[in-house]
Amino acid sequence: MGHAIRLRTDVRDRLEGGAKADIRLCWTCGSCDSECPVNIATGMLRPQKIVRMAALGMQEELVCLPEVWYCARCRRCAQICPNAVKPSDLIEHVRAVAADRRKISPVTLNLFSELWRRFQRARWHAVAACLAGEDFGDLAEEQWRKWLSTSVPEHLGSIPRPSAYHLPDDLQLISDAHRLAACFTCGECSSACPVACERSVFDPRSLFRMVYLGLEKELLTMPSIWLCVGCQRCSDCCSQQVDGQRIISALQELAITSGAVDPYFRQRLEKAHRNLYNRFISEIDSLINDGKCLTIEASTDTRDREAQKVFSE
Ligand code: SF4
Ligand code: SF4
Ligand code: SF4
């Protein structure tokens, strides 16, 4: 027989205040569960459960819950919630409390950041494979490890320099609709973006610059435009009110409607993402439960060498 849960209103209020999330407004509709891409792919992350636990004041249990580390920070749960509960902000807050109270050690936290950075690389490689027409039935362990440890070459992430810049009509429309001309390349968007861990993998400021310079062919065929998780942090933080999230979403649409990517690309990408999220969650589990992380392969990448220093300490 299960034991009764005692409602801790004081803890709930603290969680609500800390997260700036209206936990009590949740009416358990489950929309967040249905929208969460990690939950869709794996069935392992239910934002509603986390909100309910917070509403009951179960902070002790929450800070030890591996699920809070599964979150892809896309904020779709917050965007879909009819009551503006913001489960994503609650998850961020629980992570901060767990770190603050040493429920997760600083070393594990570093390992987690490194895993997150490499996960974005793996996503880039998966998109590149999908763009090349590859269809994933299953993602082999060897392939996953290889993607995690293979840097994205810088030249693919740098901005090419044509002899003359010309803004094609469709890019002009995107630029005008989302105030791109007001961008003064301050880089706030890239600092706020949870996916922008390595410039060669994903950097919103560079993408916006490429739109401004009219580099349409490069943009529509590059894997990076498919890495955006749609969280809107770039749009929210921009002092010039450039709507970065909508720009990237418009680029994705244009890639499809212009035929730059084939009509089945999105299906292949969804399948690949299912595989990737399942792999990512397994890595988190072994990291949180056993303190073990992915093997760091020998690498010439400077950032990898820095990370290795952290691991060996
Ligand atoms: S979508 Fe909002 S109201 Fe519905 S279960 Fe999730 S947090 Fe609660
Ligand atoms: S932020 Fe995204 S990944 Fe995280 S719980 Fe919400 S919907 Fe799921
Ligand atoms: S919406 Fe903006 S901040 Fe969020 S992932 Fe996309 S580019 Fe990054």
Side-chain angles (χ1 to χ4, degrees):
M1 200 166 70
H3 63 280
I5 295 168
R6 190 164 67 88
L7 172 64
R8 294 282 313 270
T9 50
D10 54 332
V11 182
R12 176 197 63 195
D13 292 350
R14 265 208 310 279
L15 280 167
E16 202 167 47
K20 297 191 179 66
D22 291 322
I23 294 163
R24 272 172 287 186
L25 295 184
C26 172
W27 60 22
T28 65
C29 66
S31 304
C32 49
D33 289 355
S34 324
E35 190 69 11
C36 173
V38 180
N39 196 41
I40 292 168
T42 66
M44 299 286 281
L45 171 57
R46 292 184 51 223
Q48 183 197 172
K49 169 182 153 185
I50 294 170
V51 172
R52 281 314 291 159
M53 287 175 73
L56 292 168
M58 298 171 70
Q59 179 170 282
E60 289 309 308
E61 290 80 358
L62 272 174
V63 291
C64 298
L65 202 67
E67 282 103 305
V68 295
W69 301 97
Y70 297 165
C71 171
R73 306 187 67 199
C74 68
R75 285 182 167 172
R76 282 197 215 159
C77 49
Q79 290 157 3
I80 196 76
C81 177
N83 293 341
V85 170
K86 294 194 276 192
S88 48
D89 289 12
L90 173 64
I91 291 172
E92 300 267 349
H93 177 64
V94 172
R95 284 185 181 188
V97 174
D100 197 40
R101 296 183 49 197
R102 296 291 171 108
K103 294 292 176 187
I104 180 163
S105 73
V107 172
T108 309
L109 214 49
N110 273 330
L111 290 168
F112 173 77
S113 302
E114 178 60 13
L115 176 59
W116 177 256
R117 180 171 78 86
R118 284 163 179 265
F119 179 52
Q120 304 315 319
R121 270 187 198 176
R123 290 181 65 222
W124 188 98
H125 289 296
V127 177
C130 290
L131 285 171
E134 219 171 299
D135 199 351
F136 293 91
D138 197 15
L139 175 59
E141 173 82 16
E142 197 188 341
Q143 180 73 285
W144 163 246
R145 297 267 164 224
K146 191 170 162 215
W147 281 349
L148 287 175
S149 59
T150 308
S151 316
V152 172
E154 266 298 332
H155 71 271
L156 286 172
S158 65
I159 298 175
R161 292 169 191 273
S163 50
Y165 294 116
H166 161 70
L167 203 56
D169 290 348
D170 33 24
L171 289 192
Q172 184 73 59
L173 280 174
I174 293 175
S175 171
D176 291 347
H178 307 300
R179 292 182 47 85
L180 186 56
C183 168
F184 55 61
T185 66
C186 66
E188 278 300 311
C189 48
S190 296
S191 307
C193 175
V195 180
C197 307
E198 285 180 286
R199 187 173 171 273
S200 56
V201 174
F202 186 74
D203 179 34
R205 174 173 53 176
S206 300
L207 294 179
F208 304 152
R209 204 67 202 138
M210 288 175 76
V211 174
Y212 194 72
L213 296 175
L215 300 168
E216 185 170 25
K217 187 167 159 275
E218 291 82 358
L219 274 164
L220 300 188
T221 51
M222 71 195 298
S224 299
I225 62 167
W226 299 97
L227 297 186
C228 169
V229 292
C231 68
Q232 294 179 352
R233 285 179 178 87
C234 52
S235 310
D236 292 348
C237 77
C238 179
S239 60
Q240 299 297 97
Q241 295 171 319
V242 176
D243 195 339
Q245 186 268 328
R246 289 240 169 99
I247 290 173
I248 295 179
S249 170
L251 289 173
Q252 294 174 352
E253 282 309 312
L254 185 58
I256 289 170
T257 53
S258 68
V261 301
D262 71 84
Y264 302 106
F265 165 75
R266 267 204 153 126
Q267 274 165 269
R268 294 197 299 275
L269 187 60
E270 261 170 45
K271 241 197 258 179
H273 262 131
R274 269 203 296 279
N275 276 304
L276 288 170
Y277 281 133
N278 276 293
R279 289 279 176 190
F280 177 64
I281 279 181
S282 302
E283 295 283 350
I284 300 278
D285 282 345
S286 75
L287 177 60
I288 304 283
N289 298 330
D290 313 326
K292 291 187 195 136
C293 193
L294 62 162
T295 320
I296 307 296
E297 258 83 17
S299 172
T300 50
D301 187 300
T302 322
R303 290 205 54 178
D304 283 355
R305 283 204 302 273
E306 280 165 14
Q308 282 173 41
K309 254 191 265 161
V310 174
F311 298 148
S312 55
E313 273 167 16

